[in-house]
Amino acid sequence: MTVASASDSSLPVSIRGLSKTYRVGFFLNKQVKALQGLDLEIAPGQVYGLLGPNGAGKSTTIKILMGLVRASQGQALLFGEPPDRPQVRRQVGFLPENPSLYEYLTGREFVTLAGRIFGLSGQELDQRVERVLGEVGMGRASDLQIRRYSKGMVQRTALAQALISGPRLLVLDEPTSGLDPLGRRQMRDLILAEREKGTTILFCTHIISDVESLCDRVVVLVGGRRVQEGSVQELVSAKAPSVEMVVHGLPLEQLQALGFTYEQAQQLDSRVLLRVPDADSHGLLQAVISKGGRVSRVQPARFSLEELFLDAMKQAGGQTVGGEIQ
Amino acid sequence: MSAFAAMAWNGFREARRNRVTVLVAAFALLLLFATTLVTEVTVSTFDRVVTDFGLGVMSLLLVFLAIYLSSGLISREIERRTIFLMVSKPMSRSRFLLARLAGNMLTLGVLLVAMTLLFWVELVLHRSPITQPQLAALWGLYLELFILTSAGFLMSTFASQLVSALVTTGLYFAGHLCSDIYNLGVKSKVELVQWVSKATYYALPNLERLNFRPRATYAIEVTAAELGSATLYALGWGALFCVLAAIVFERRDFR
């Protein structure tokens, strides 16, 4: 994480000690801690992923940044200013989870309305509306009423309204949820295209493959707390390295009798796939050769973000849904 | 077009595309046409009956629409989560709220003007005069719609559409019975009844202050001072409801 002052206006997002407690129950006497002391900074131009299970605090973080929810404690700043300032919001495009649009409007009318709220008008507005609708693939269907749209079309129109102002920061809450594989692919391409333009992107998801393919940095939230933060590369390589070997000519039982601790040992036809800690790899290689075996492949095992995610959840006590209830 | 005007215009467009609004407007126009039938059973007080019936129809249907539109406007946005995309835009919550209110008042204003034109056509066709008290009654009706819409809005910021509509309807009836409740207290010898009736009178908007329809029926002139006082009274109550709505709306979390 980069170190900068909390009010650094160059940082698109800066969060310090952010907490949110919801009061629930008929008498509002129960408290749910949705966020607990979150710290976060996002540098310009980064694609930053918020990763976590349901109820981890991802959407709450985004809602605080978008002024939909008030923080109980701590500070959230966009470009060095509180998120409720109109001049700050002009620089931000937002796509909420399962977006809901005014169904009585057509897609074009909705995007035009969004543009007007951003202060656009005249020819500039018309041109931008045309451009963003084309970018999201809604050029032809934009004159139909939104109530006739499929879920994917609503998602695309919602993305178009997020892009209408040419934002410096794009906040996307589960942008690929509910989309078919083609829609997901197009959404990913759009996110990448925005990154190419230098737009900072904060997006929240529980689809790990999206994070791996799109994000520069990731924070893993569990139970409202940050449990991991760093670049995808850092996070997956920070784990103790292990090595994968493919051995021929020795049965699995004989390899197990060698006395090494295997993370994975699997018979595959005439060969055996082994995964051992890097420290043991040299000794195992020598032992296999001395017993007459042949090693056809030795490679560092890739630790995936998914494993990291599951690991983080285990560390957090297996809490998967909701914040801490008191 | 500014952000405020865009949101207000959108409110008008929403109402225009709402089937209930269209049906009520069509029904109102039909009823106004039916004024001709009423004249068939009138012998000597033709002008009075046309005025009373015409203004009554307009009042009844526009009050229904004001309650229906205002009570669901914000609560529906919250329930359907369209609020997420609006509140996150570069527009303060209070401005958003006022723009929605302005959109509602624009809708009611356009309908009132359309109904008034038809009402005047009826008067002209029957060779009845268009009088100053009729205009005063129409202005009073619009002020009443403003108070009811503001009250519906206030309720809508924290309650469901049904609850908002029930409370606003209650306010409409209580507002018209305010003076009677006060007079009941004056005549009562029980101190508690006196106190409760006075408290009710001052806690609720007295909608009878804005009701110039009986005077329009009997063609009794409404002075400028009376109109000015009624306007200030309505604006005061409307502003109070709007400020309360803004306070509630500003503090809300949209989860």
Side-chain angles (χ1 to χ4, degrees):
Chain A
M1 191 164 84
T2 51
V3 178
S5 72
S7 61
D8 189 343
S9 63
S10 66
L11 286 176
V13 178
S14 168
I15 291 173
R16 287 272 180 276
L18 198 66
S19 299
K20 177 65 188 176
T21 304
Y22 290 114
R23 290 181 176 277
V24 293
F26 188 77
F27 296 107
L28 300 179
N29 54 349
K30 282 184 186 162
Q31 295 187 342
V32 178
K33 290 185 174 178
L35 269 183
Q36 302 183 60
L38 180 67
D39 293 320
L40 204 67
E41 277 178 3
I42 303 179
Q46 275 184 348
V47 178
Y48 200 99
L50 280 176
L51 193 60
N54 295 333
K58 309 183 298 286
S59 289
T60 300
T61 306
I62 282 182
K63 282 177 183 167
I64 290 172
L65 287 172
M66 298 318 301
L68 295 167
V69 166
R70 311 279 182 210
S72 306
Q73 266 183 348
Q75 191 181 42
L77 300 174
L78 297 176
F79 301 102
E81 293 194 55
D84 53 356
R85 302 258 168 92
Q87 67 269 26
V88 171
R89 292 212 195 145
R90 270 195 195 96
Q91 304 175 57
V92 185
F94 174 47
L95 170 68
E97 184 181 7
N98 299 322
S100 185
L101 316 178
Y102 291 139
E103 291 186 338
Y104 51 87
L105 297 180
T106 65
R108 183 182 301 279
E109 284 171 341
F110 190 85
V111 177
T112 305
L113 173 66
R116 290 219 162 95
I117 297 175
F118 274 105
L120 301 170
S121 60
Q123 245 186 351
E124 188 196 6
L125 175 63
D126 294 342
Q127 284 168 356
R128 283 207 196 188
V129 168
E130 207 60 51
R131 199 189 69 221
V132 293
L133 284 171
E135 278 175 5
V136 300
M138 285 296 294
R140 292 177 69 185
S142 59
D143 291 319
L144 278 177
Q145 272 195 329
I146 291 170
R147 61 166 58 99
R148 302 189 191 285
Y149 282 4
S150 67
K151 192 175 180 186
M153 289 161 88
V154 170
Q155 191 87 350
R156 285 159 196 256
T157 308
L159 181 64
Q161 65 79 38
L163 296 173
I164 188 71
S165 63
R168 288 170 65 199
L169 170 66
L170 200 51
V171 179
L172 310 171
D173 194 351
E174 303 283 2
T176 54
S177 79
L179 293 181
D180 58 23
L182 181 66
R184 278 182 64 186
R185 175 77 173 270
Q186 286 173 336
M187 184 65 81
R188 288 213 296 241
D189 289 346
L190 276 165
I191 293 171
L192 290 173
E194 281 301 309
R195 180 166 73 170
E196 289 299 307
K197 289 183 202 166
T199 311
T200 307
I201 299 168
L202 167 62
F203 91 96
C204 129
T205 184
H206 52 251
I207 302 172
I208 293 164
S209 59
D210 287 349
V211 177
E212 279 187 311
S213 59
L214 293 171
C215 292
D216 299 314
R217 291 183 81 81
V218 177
V219 63
V220 182
L221 300 179
V222 178
R225 289 195 180 91
R226 188 178 85 174
V227 290
Q228 297 272 6
E229 203 273 351
S231 72
V232 175
Q233 198 55 42
E234 272 169 27
L235 290 177
V236 295
S237 58
K239 261 328 247 190
S242 50
V243 171
E244 267 180 14
M245 276 184 208
V246 177
V247 178
H248 297 257
L250 292 177
L252 181 60
E253 296 75 29
Q254 198 176 344
L255 288 166
Q256 280 171 334
L258 292 175
F260 291 94
T261 310
Y262 300 113
E263 290 171 4
Q264 187 184 357
Q266 204 172 350
Q267 184 79 49
L268 304 168
D269 296 332
S270 59
R271 61 199 196 281
V272 177
L273 173 69
L274 299 173
R275 185 191 270 199
V276 288
D278 189 32
D280 291 348
S281 60
H282 189 67
L284 178 63
L285 201 60
Q286 283 184 329
V288 168
I289 292 166
S290 67
K291 295 281 178 191
R294 186 169 64 83
V295 176
S296 67
R297 199 176 76 196
V298 179
Q299 66 177 32
R302 192 165 179 273
F303 184 75
S304 77
L305 205 54
E306 185 169 343
E307 286 166 290
L308 176 93
F309 178 65
L310 295 172
D311 211 32
M313 281 177 54
K314 262 186 222 159
Q315 280 173 28
Q319 189 178 2
T320 55
V321 177
E324 219 170 76
I325 301 172
Q326 290 185 330
Chain B
M1 195 188 277
S2 70
F4 183 89
M7 271 317 294
W9 179 251
N10 185 57
F12 175 66
R13 193 160 44 180
E14 178 183 9
R16 206 182 58 199
R17 292 181 186 176
N18 186 320
R19 280 183 197 144
V20 175
T21 316
V22 174
L23 277 177
V24 170
F27 186 58
L29 298 179
L30 201 72
L31 271 180
L32 281 171
F33 266 124
T35 311
T36 314
L37 298 177
V38 180
T39 59
E40 297 294 323
V41 293
T42 311
V43 181
S44 60
T45 54
F46 176 78
D47 295 349
R48 284 186 204 168
V49 170
V50 170
T51 304
D52 196 27
F53 188 79
L55 291 176
V57 165
M58 287 158 79
S59 166
L60 202 68
L61 292 176
L62 286 174
V63 163
F64 168 76
L65 260 188
I67 293 172
Y68 169 76
L69 291 176
S70 65
S71 60
L73 211 60
I74 301 299
S75 55
R76 258 202 321 267
E77 289 244 21
I78 295 167
E79 273 165 31
R80 293 180 184 174
R81 296 153 58 102
T82 47
I83 198 91
F84 286 2
L85 282 177
M86 292 299 129
V87 168
S88 57
K89 295 269 184 299
M91 188 183 203
S92 73
R93 290 186 181 193
S94 303
R95 273 171 71 85
F96 169 77
L97 202 69
L98 288 178
R100 293 301 260 159
L101 178 78
N104 243 22
M105 290 314 297
L106 178 65
T107 307
L108 293 169
V110 167
L111 284 173
L112 182 64
V113 167
M115 289 182 193
T116 301
L117 290 176
L118 194 67
F119 174 59
W120 281 348
V121 168
E122 283 283 320
L123 289 177
V124 170
L125 284 177
H126 292 95
R127 295 201 178 86
S128 290
I130 296 168
T131 61
Q132 184 268 353
Q134 287 170 356
L135 292 173
L138 290 168
W139 178 241
L141 173 59
Y142 193 63
L143 293 176
E144 184 179 344
L145 296 175
F146 174 59
I147 292 185
L148 291 173
T149 301
S150 313
F153 251 63
L154 168 59
M155 289 303 300
S156 178
T157 54
F158 62 89
S160 70
Q161 180 167 17
L162 181 66
V163 173
S164 304
L166 285 175
V167 171
T168 315
T169 308
L171 184 79
Y172 170 72
F173 286 113
H176 278 288
L177 294 172
C178 244
S179 304
D180 295 333
I181 295 169
Y182 184 81
N183 289 333
L184 187 77
V186 170
K187 285 175 187 165
S188 171
K189 286 172 185 159
V190 183
E191 205 173 320
L192 181 69
V193 174
Q194 287 176 356
W195 188 86
V196 170
S197 61
K198 270 189 188 172
T200 309
Y201 180 78
Y202 288 114
L204 296 173
N206 180 1
L207 298 178
E208 277 301 306
R209 279 190 70 166
L210 314 171
N211 184 6
F212 300 118
R213 287 188 295 280
R215 290 169 71 170
T217 305
Y218 294 101
I220 301 167
E221 190 132 336
V222 181
T223 64
E226 282 176 303
L227 271 181
S229 142
T231 304
L232 286 177
Y233 184 77
L235 289 178
W237 272 103
L240 175 69
F241 287 142
C242 287
V243 168
L244 291 174
I247 290 170
V248 174
F249 195 61
E250 285 284 348
R251 289 164 168 262
R252 271 204 75 152
D253 277 346
F254 301 110
R255 295 165 68 179

